[in-house]
Amino acid sequence: MKIDFTHYTKILLLLLITVFAAPENVFSKENLRNAKENVILDTIVVTARGTGSRISQTPGGVGAVASQAVAEQQAVSLTDLTRRIPGVEKSSDAVWGSAINIRGLGRNSVVFLIDGCRVNTATDINAQFGLVDPLDIERIEVLKGPVSALYGSGSMGGVVNVITKKGQFTKSPQWHGETVLAYADNPKGIGTGGNVSFNTQDRWMYASGSYRDHDSYEAGAGEKIPNSQFRDHHARAATGMKWNDKNTTALSAQYTK
């Protein structure tokens, strides 16, 4: 059996030329370190299993809206944010409360959570989706379909878990804050809000507040949708304490009107 090494020799020479002809800084320690730092990790979700797990290793249909997407869209309602997730659509009674439809199921088939705590209201208009100001949302996780046995009755359609902004533990004391002033032309109105947090190595404190006032929503022909105007106030305070490397405690209180 005759083996022709000509082809393999050409490949070896090409590799050697590529390596030695490359600029010296291509293989520098700094560039290699930057390459490692720029690796994009898989999204971590906590809703499906109750603890953090990679979205690629979570069974069933799971979707997430990251903090960057929340900040970029500046949506009036959080249901506008969930529309980024395939299989999730909003079916609105009004712009403020809206409603979420997951794979054809909505209303009583979808469980709504804020930081893992189930939210119930005494109305049938899905007003619970208006209880969180989008300015105060860190990220949104959605379970599509009955993919979890953690949430009991009413979760046949899925689960929507809103994770709100909080402080964080830092090596040195730090202050963080932001303010937002927004204007929308449909529904026409203004919104303003802000938050501030103080962080240390073993504790953090966070406070936020907002105010919005919008007129009725206008359809494509300019016709106003009756009773779709809204005005609301949001306020929230939260604190966290680290007892040791494995145990932390967080408390949060929210007011919406």
Side-chain angles (χ1 to χ4, degrees):
M1 178 178 173
K2 183 177 180 181
I3 301 176
D4 185 5
F5 291 97
T6 305
H7 179 67
Y8 298 100
T9 303
K10 291 180 179 179
I11 295 177
L12 179 60
L13 290 174
L14 181 61
L15 291 173
L16 292 174
I17 293 173
T18 302
V19 172
F20 289 104
E24 183 179 355
N25 61 350
V26 170
F27 300 101
S28 64
K29 293 183 179 180
E30 182 179 357
N31 282 345
L32 293 176
R33 184 171 58 254
N34 291 337
K36 293 180 180 179
E37 293 176 352
N38 292 332
V39 173
I40 300 177
L41 300 177
D42 197 5
T43 303
I44 301 295
V45 295
V46 299
T47 308
R49 294 178 174 175
T51 58
S53 60
R54 294 186 178 182
I55 195 170
S56 61
Q57 299 176 351
T58 304
V62 182
V65 181
S67 57
Q68 182 177 354
V70 175
E72 289 175 351
Q73 190 166 347
Q74 294 294 311
V76 174
S77 174
L78 71 88
T79 55
D80 293 323
L81 297 170
T82 56
R83 296 180 67 183
R84 290 172 168 260
I85 301 174
V88 181
E89 188 55 78
K90 76 171 186 176
S91 54
S92 304
D93 291 322
V95 178
W96 180 80
S98 298
I100 287 181
N101 184 303
I102 303 177
R103 292 177 175 175
L105 294 176
R107 297 286 181 175
N108 297 327
S109 299
V110 176
V111 171
F112 179 55
L113 310 173
I114 299 178
D115 292 327
C117 298
R118 189 163 180 161
V119 178
N120 294 317
T121 66
T123 65
D124 295 327
I125 61 173
N126 279 298
Q128 62 264 39
F129 289 104
L131 295 179
V132 180
D133 188 343
L135 297 176
D136 207 28
I137 295 175
E138 176 66 26
R139 71 180 189 278
I140 304 173
E141 298 177 1
V142 177
L143 308 186
K144 294 176 283 185
V147 297
S148 175
L150 296 175
Y151 303 103
S153 62
S155 61
M156 183 62 67
V159 178
V160 179
N161 188 16
V162 176
I163 290 88
T164 56
K165 294 180 180 179
K166 302 175 181 66
Q168 57 185 338
F169 300 110
T170 57
K171 293 182 179 180
S172 58
Q174 296 181 6
W175 284 93
H176 295 277
E178 61 178 346
T179 58
V180 176
L181 179 62
Y183 172 80
D185 58 359
N186 191 22
K188 185 177 295 184
I190 60 170
T192 182
N195 62 65
V196 61
S197 64
F198 175 68
N199 311 300
T200 65
Q201 187 173 1
D202 57 1
R203 70 187 64 187
W204 56 261
M205 292 178 289
Y206 177 92
S208 66
S210 66
Y211 169 79
R212 300 186 299 174
D213 189 355
H214 289 264
D215 295 334
S216 297
Y217 179 79
E218 296 182 1
E223 180 183 0
K224 291 188 176 182
I225 306 301
N227 299 321
S228 60
Q229 73 278 2
F230 70 94
R231 181 172 58 190
D232 60 10
H233 311 261
H234 294 269
R236 194 169 68 89
T239 184
M241 179 170 291
K242 179 189 290 187
W243 304 102
N244 51 51
D245 292 338
K246 296 183 179 180
N247 298 283
T248 61
T249 299
L251 301 174
S252 178
Q254 176 178 312
Y255 171 81
T256 300
K257 180 179 180 182

